[in-house]
Amino acid sequence: MAPIDSEDYILADLATVLDKGDLVKDGYDFVGWNTSGDGKGVPYNVGEQLTIVDNITLFAQWKAQPIDPVNPGKPVDDSNKGSLNGLNLPKTGAQYDAHYFSNTGLNFRNIYLI
């Protein structure tokens, strides 16, 4: 259930942006709030103060958790990572096909990490 601020506010009061409460989205991490569901509105971080100018609805914003290409369905193990153009990859023992990088702007046929 989304958190609801039960405080009563008047114009120009400061309100503190609440945490996500019990909200969960499998395969995603909560990254904050936004005044628009598509993330194109005004972003707010948990704990940030906002000035009350009218009723406001904030939409949860989510970031997809990285998927381990070697073991899909498992979160990436952060203790054994390298980085390639912002991608987090296991440092050794993996082969990646070109389709893994299709949305990165990188062009590779195969990548071998040894």
Side-chain angles (χ1 to χ4, degrees), residues 51-62:
T51 302
I52 300 297
V53 294
D54 201 349
N55 290 332
I56 187 168
T57 300
L58 298 178
F59 297 86
Q61 300 298 293
W62 305 93

Side-chain angles (χ1 to χ4, degrees), residues 66 75-82 88-89 91:
V76 173
D77 178 2
D78 287 338
S79 65
N80 184 30
K81 277 191 190 166
N88 292 316
L89 307 171
K91 290 180 182 172

Side-chain angles (χ1 to χ4, degrees), residues 2-4 10 17 24-25 27-28 30 37 42 51 58-59 66 69-71 76 81-82 88 90 94-95 97 100 109:
I4 297 173
I10 61 172
V17 176
V24 174
K25 186 173 181 180
Y28 291 81
F30 173 77
V42 178
T51 302
L58 298 178
F59 297 86
V70 177
N71 298 302
V76 173
K81 277 191 190 166
N88 292 316
Q95 174 183 346
D97 293 325
Y100 179 74
R109 182 172 176 101

Side-chain angles (χ1 to χ4, degrees), residues 13-27:
D13 276 353
L14 289 178
T16 301
V17 176
L18 301 177
D19 200 352
K20 66 181 180 75
D22 295 333
L23 291 178
V24 174
K25 186 173 181 180
D26 288 339

Side-chain angles (χ1 to χ4, degrees), residues 22 27 36 45 49 55 68:
D22 295 333
S36 178
N45 294 314
Q49 300 263 297
N55 290 332
D68 185 339

